[in-house]
Amino acid sequence: MAEINTSAESVRALMSGALERVRKANTEYFDLLERGLGSSPLPIANQAKDFCTFMRRNVGATFDLGDKLINAKDMQDALKLQADFFQDQMRALTEQARAMSESAMKTAGGMFGPKI
């Protein structure tokens, strides 16, 4: 029985290490993307940066879920973690959609408003 537990711990350690490497690569990708957006002359560059921030947050939350699932005690714990994640993501999506539509309305208003 000790072999099974040791084996499970080995798998958890491998999964945690792999998840950490993917998380690091993801961080580097978003850093590069944000630098590229920062140098963009496009008028929607600010909205693109906001969208990138939202993507970074959402992907980070997914990695956090992965960390939690790797350490789940049993299937019931894993299902609760997934349900909580889903609810949190729905709340975040609602807030992000509101923020993006406000930003788009400001940008559109600036494009079609009076020129002073």
Side-chain angles (χ1 to χ4, degrees):
M1 192 70 168
E3 289 179 14
I4 293 173
N5 289 338
T6 303
S7 182
E9 289 306 315
S10 298
V11 170
R12 280 189 173 139
L14 286 171
M15 291 174 68
S16 291
L19 189 60
E20 194 55 41
R21 287 189 298 277
V22 172
R23 186 188 299 258
K24 183 178 184 273
N26 183 65
T27 298
E28 292 171 2
Y29 167 76
F30 277 116
D31 290 345
L32 180 64
L33 182 60
E34 286 178 3
R35 280 196 303 272
L37 290 172
S39 63
S40 174
L42 296 173
I44 61 165
N46 286 336
Q47 286 78 19
K49 285 184 217 174
D50 291 342
F51 184 71
C52 187
T53 300
F54 293 147
M55 287 188 336
R56 184 187 287 257
R57 182 248 168 242
N58 294 338
V59 171
T62 303
F63 283 128
D64 292 344
L65 173 65
D67 284 336
K68 291 174 186 174
L69 287 173
I70 288 171
N71 295 305
K73 296 176 207 124
D74 54 26
M75 186 57 99
Q76 205 169 18
D77 190 27
L79 290 174
K80 182 182 179 336
L81 289 168
Q82 288 182 326
D84 292 346
F85 171 77
F86 181 75
Q87 289 175 349
D88 290 344
Q89 286 300 100
M90 288 292 98
R91 280 190 287 274
L93 178 61
T94 301
E95 177 59 28
Q96 291 167 5
R98 184 196 58 74
M100 289 300 288
S101 43
E102 284 177 4
S103 178
M105 293 302 284
K106 286 179 188 174
T107 300
M111 290 171 60
F112 300 110
K115 304 287 187 220
I116 299 176

